[in-house]
Amino acid sequence: MNQRERIIRLFEERILPEDELARLITERDAETDELLYEKARIRQNEVFGKDIYLRGLIEFSNYCRNDCYYCGLRRSNTKADRYHLTKDEILGCAVQGRELGFRTIVLQSGEDLSYSDQDICDIVSSIKNRLPDTAVTLSIGEKTREQYQMYYDAGADRYLLRHESASPEHYAKLHPSDLTFENRKRCLYDLKDIGFQTGAGMMLESPYQTTDDIVKDLLFLAELKPEMIGIGPFISHHDTPFRDMPSGGADLTVFMIGVLRLMLPEALIPATTALGTIDPMGREKGILAGANVIMPNLSPRSVRGKYLLYDGKISTGEEGAESRAKLCERIERIGYHAADSRGDSPLMKQRR
Ligand code: 5AD
């Protein structure tokens, strides 16, 4: 048994070999990667069977007060074609999503301060009233604990906030100084404490990222134990300071999905849009390495091309939520099936 095999077997026994994680990442070889994916699939099958959960993603505003160096929605990008949807438009998308069969609606936006907390709560509670069997996930950025509590009280079930990088030094290379890993972490612990099913995650191969940074991400995730983990490759955007930085590939993301499935077997792990953008078979590869969530786009067609976090983001054709049947077919083709349930975290007791 080689070193990497040994590490994978430790994961299986829920042991985190901290000082050997770097080796696992740097000394990759196809054979042990395949062993990892096999173990990850077994674990996935034990916890989730062959179910893949679908979430309808409504990207309701691309205005953002932040200036993250990697993101096409950053406020300094004057070339971004900005839009935001009204409450009625958002509700319309959600209802359409439910009709298409989605039982989770994800509301995502840049940090757009034109929506007050009351607006957000109204949107959440209207969706919950109209679609009581549907989970609502928010992904609207860094807020105070009191704000998060308001959204929770309005009925939001889950919250996605990627930590982006768990190394404060690396975090500072991706973000201007008004954004800190410390505050991200505070947000994530507040969200968990309030009772949200909470999602964290990072980009892989983002500029200046080292193996040690990725190890820090893994240790942070092991400590936080988020119910959801979203990871994907960094992809450069032509109107950001990182325009000339090379994009990542699918491989490392797929590999890390396998690692995370063994580290946190109950986690909901999406095969992300970025993974599907960098590799047309990326999402299938993600599922076969342990991912169990896909988030098709439910935004109105007229704005779909405008939520450009990075260049080339897939947003038409089969990526659209209305192509659910085609997506289900692709999932079936690799031996899985799209579940009808809400797809809550097995770690969470439903509160209502
Ligand atoms: N490449 C890949 N992912 C990106 N995100 C933002 N910009 C990029 C990019 N250039 C990711 C961030 C964010 C999520 C919504 O999209 O991780 O949390």
Side-chain angles (χ1 to χ4, degrees):
M1 199 189 314
N2 72 26
Q3 289 292 340
R4 294 183 83 239
E5 272 180 57
R6 203 173 54 73
I7 299 170
I8 292 165
R9 288 182 202 283
L10 287 173
F11 277 148
E12 267 187 292
E13 291 165 34
R14 297 227 179 182
I15 298 166
L16 188 64
E18 282 191 33
D19 46 349
E20 292 177 294
L21 290 175
R23 181 200 298 269
L24 180 75
I25 300 165
T26 46
E27 295 175 17
R28 307 254 320 272
D29 68 86
E31 215 170 296
T32 36
D33 282 359
E34 202 36 63
L35 176 75
L36 171 75
Y37 303 147
E38 207 180 295
K39 304 278 184 202
R41 284 195 294 270
I42 292 170
R43 191 47 53 82
Q44 181 179 8
N45 198 38
E46 282 167 10
V47 184
F48 297 99
K50 293 290 184 184
D51 282 357
I52 301 296
Y53 303 121
L54 303 186
R55 324 297 198 194
L57 175 64
I58 306 175
E59 297 164 330
F60 67 92
S61 164
N62 68 355
Y63 283 87
C64 193
R65 66 168 159 158
N66 292 329
D67 221 11
C68 309
Y69 303 139
Y70 48 84
C71 182
L73 306 189
R74 65 199 305 270
R75 68 159 185 266
S76 297
N77 181 11
T78 52
K79 293 198 182 134
D81 186 0
R82 307 282 173 174
Y83 72 91
H84 41 198
L85 304 183
T86 64
K87 179 183 158 185
D88 284 345
E89 286 171 321
I90 298 169
L91 193 57
C93 289
V95 169
Q96 198 197 353
R98 183 66 191 88
E99 281 161 6
L100 288 166
F102 295 95
R103 290 195 55 201
T104 293
I105 298 297
V106 181
L107 301 176
Q108 186 173 85
S109 69
E111 292 197 15
D112 178 349
L113 297 183
S114 70
Y115 298 89
S116 67
D117 291 325
Q118 199 47 56
D119 292 335
I120 298 295
C121 290
D122 281 351
I123 293 165
V124 169
S125 58
S126 309
I127 297 177
K128 294 298 288 191
N129 285 334
R130 184 90 182 257
L131 310 169
D133 68 350
T134 302
V136 173
T137 304
L138 286 176
S139 178
I140 57 175
E142 294 185 6
K143 308 280 176 181
T144 64
R145 183 180 176 117
E146 292 67 37
Q147 289 176 297
Y148 289 144
Q149 185 69 56
M150 285 176 68
Y151 309 151
Y152 187 77
D153 295 341
D157 302 278
R158 309 184 192 137
Y159 203 104
L160 301 176
L161 181 72
R162 289 194 183 172
H163 68 276
E164 312 296 359
S165 170
S167 148
E169 299 76 34
H170 181 232
Y171 195 94
K173 290 181 180 158
L174 302 179
H175 303 93
S177 59
D178 58 328
L179 295 169
T180 61
F181 175 59
E182 199 188 342
N183 194 48
R184 274 274 147 146
K185 198 164 148 181
R186 191 272 306 156
C187 290
L188 285 163
Y189 278 97
D190 280 348
L191 288 162
K192 274 212 92 171
D193 201 43
I194 288 168
F196 282 103
Q197 295 174 50
T198 302
M202 64 282 183
M203 286 177 290
L204 290 161
E205 296 174 90
S206 61
Y208 314 110
Q209 185 180 52
T210 64
T211 301
D212 279 350
D213 295 330
I214 301 175
V215 169
K216 289 200 176 90
D217 288 325
L218 290 177
L219 295 176
F220 173 69
L221 291 169
E223 177 198 290
L224 176 70
K225 298 186 181 61
E227 284 76 22
M228 305 173 280
I229 306 171
I231 59 174
F234 160 76
I235 302 173
S236 65
H237 183 291
H238 63 284
D239 286 318
T240 65
F242 288 166
R243 62 176 64 81
D244 296 324
M245 297 291 190
S247 297
D251 277 16
L252 188 61
T253 294
V254 172
F255 173 72
M256 295 308 293
I257 288 173
V259 170
L260 287 164
R261 171 58 64 216
L262 289 183
M263 265 179 56
L264 297 162
E266 291 87 7
L268 297 157
I269 304 179
T272 53
T273 307
L275 184 56
T277 295
I278 213 70
D279 180 338
M281 289 299 283
R283 282 177 298 184
E284 278 90 344
K285 290 178 187 169
I287 291 172
L288 292 169
N292 64 336
V293 172
I294 293 192
M295 299 167 66
N297 197 318
L298 198 56
S299 312
R301 282 180 166 279
S302 56
V303 303
R304 252 179 227 179
K306 297 183 187 174
Y307 201 83
L308 263 196
L309 305 167
Y310 44 81
D311 288 342
K313 179 165 168 276
I314 47 174
S315 66
T316 51
E318 286 180 35
E319 168 53 25
E322 63 289 341
S323 309
R324 198 175 196 274
K326 279 198 194 116
L327 181 64
C328 292
E329 231 174 79
R330 284 179 70 162
I331 294 171
E332 300 274 341
R333 230 177 282 151
I334 53 171
Y336 290 78
H337 67 259
D340 300 322
S341 62
R342 280 182 20 147
D344 285 288
S345 163
L347 299 171
M348 277 282 166
K349 284 194 214 82
Q350 263 195 46
R351 63 186 165 128
R352 33 179 113 72

